[in-house]
Amino acid sequence: MTYKIGILSITSLVFMSGCFSLSTPEVAEKEANFSQEEIAASADQLPASNAEIGLAEQLRAQTNLYEINKKDLSRKQRDHMIGAVNALQSQNIADGLSKVAAAEALGTLTSASYVVKADLLMANDDTQAAKQALEQSLAVNPYNPKAANRLATRYREEGQFETALEYYTRAIKAVPMYAPSYRNRGILNDLYLLDKVSAIEDYETYSALLEYENVELQSKDVEKSIKLVKRWIVDVDRQLQRIVSNSNGL
């Protein structure tokens, strides 16, 4: 999806973005395991295939439950929340939290607004309150993929891997083209649950969604993400081949 430049684009990106960010803890942890130059070399030149584009188109044609169940803010609440988003972008966390409180004083916020509240609380190192804000987000709209994705990450960090898996899957079912949850669920399956087959399926879906998006965007950052996940695919494929080879040698 393409966003127009301006305040509304900032709001949209903070409320629903994350597809192409490489700065998440999961990605940093996963990338730290790669040092083989041949993996990078073998992955960087793989072009998008018709199968990848077809898979992405199929996912994007499925129902977006988040959009169907999305509600709007009042005008005054919206003004406060735009201020909160701008404060988050400029790292003025105290001001952002103040603006969220002002919006919340006017009534229940939207699901997306509670995600912004959680982002601000996380930036303020208040992990437990951030988790509660994400739960509020899902109470308002149970199909918010970003809220489910972030809650999954919290559970993963707490060592509750099966619960994390449930929330990543919940995000995907809500919005089948929400790329971050395929990436994060793949990493969970790969590094924590050791389900390599499921991991490679998620990585391939994530790659397909990025390839599809980049047909229009032609973004260097997206290209970097594509190259990175294709390295992961090559690595996991090699692990699976070794597992098969070792099993046949028994």
Side-chain angles (χ1 to χ4, degrees):
M1 133 187 354
T2 303
Y3 296 97
K4 296 180 180 179
I5 296 172
I7 291 177
L8 291 182
S9 73
I10 295 174
T11 306
S12 299
L13 286 168
V14 173
F15 284 1
M16 292 301 296
S17 69
C19 292
F20 311 128
S21 172
L22 297 177
S23 61
T24 64
E26 299 98 324
V27 170
E29 185 169 0
K30 174 69 177 170
E31 179 64 358
N33 292 328
F34 290 88
S35 59
Q36 301 178 51
E37 291 300 326
E38 66 271 17
I39 292 177
S42 63
D44 285 351
Q45 302 304 315
L46 295 177
S49 67
N50 290 335
E52 284 181 307
I53 299 302
L55 173 59
E57 288 177 341
Q58 180 182 1
L59 291 172
R60 287 170 178 268
Q62 293 181 24
T63 302
N64 184 324
L65 294 173
Y66 171 76
E67 290 293 334
I68 291 175
N69 291 275
K70 186 171 66 173
K71 295 180 173 62
D72 295 324
L73 292 166
S74 70
R75 176 185 249 172
K76 288 184 178 179
Q77 285 179 313
R78 182 173 178 80
D79 288 344
H80 288 306
M81 289 309 304
I82 289 174
V85 169
N86 289 332
L88 177 61
Q89 290 288 301
S90 62
Q91 291 299 298
N92 190 345
I93 305 306
D95 182 53
L97 288 170
S98 175
K99 285 181 167 55
V100 170
E104 203 165 6
L106 298 172
T108 302
L109 298 178
T110 60
S111 179
S113 298
Y114 283 116
V115 172
V116 174
K117 179 181 179 180
D119 287 348
L120 286 161
L121 289 165
M122 281 301 298
N124 203 41
D125 294 324
D126 195 342
T127 303
Q128 190 57 39
K131 189 175 178 181
Q132 291 171 356
L134 292 171
E135 290 168 348
Q136 285 179 293
S137 175
L138 290 174
V140 173
N141 185 343
Y143 303 107
N144 187 318
K146 189 170 184 180
N149 184 67
R150 287 179 177 270
L151 260 181
T153 298
R154 302 284 80 77
Y155 282 116
R156 184 195 66 77
E157 291 173 347
E158 294 170 2
Q160 299 185 52
F161 301 141
E162 292 295 338
T163 302
L165 180 64
E166 290 174 8
Y167 274 94
Y168 284 136
T169 302
R170 176 174 176 174
I172 289 167
K173 288 181 177 179
V175 182
M177 69 285 200
Y178 189 65
S181 286
Y182 290 102
R183 175 195 63 200
N184 293 340
R185 190 175 70 175
I187 292 170
L188 179 72
N189 280 319
D190 185 3
L191 299 183
Y192 298 93
L193 298 177
L194 303 181
D195 183 348
K196 302 295 182 177
V197 173
S198 295
I200 203 167
E201 290 175 356
D202 282 334
Y203 290 157
E204 287 174 343
T205 303
Y206 175 53
S207 175
L209 288 168
L210 293 183
E211 292 278 16
Y212 185 87
E213 195 77 15
N214 206 38
V215 169
E216 179 179 349
L217 293 180
Q218 295 295 303
S219 163
K220 294 295 183 183
D221 287 340
V222 180
E223 289 174 7
K224 182 179 178 182
S225 298
I226 292 168
K227 290 178 180 180
L228 179 60
V229 72
K230 286 189 174 181
R231 295 173 198 174
W232 299 353
I233 291 168
V234 170
D235 180 70
V236 176
D237 184 61
R238 290 183 177 182
Q239 292 179 50
L240 287 171
Q241 290 180 30
R242 285 196 296 269
I243 291 170
V244 171
S245 177
N246 291 337
S247 297
N248 291 336
L250 292 178

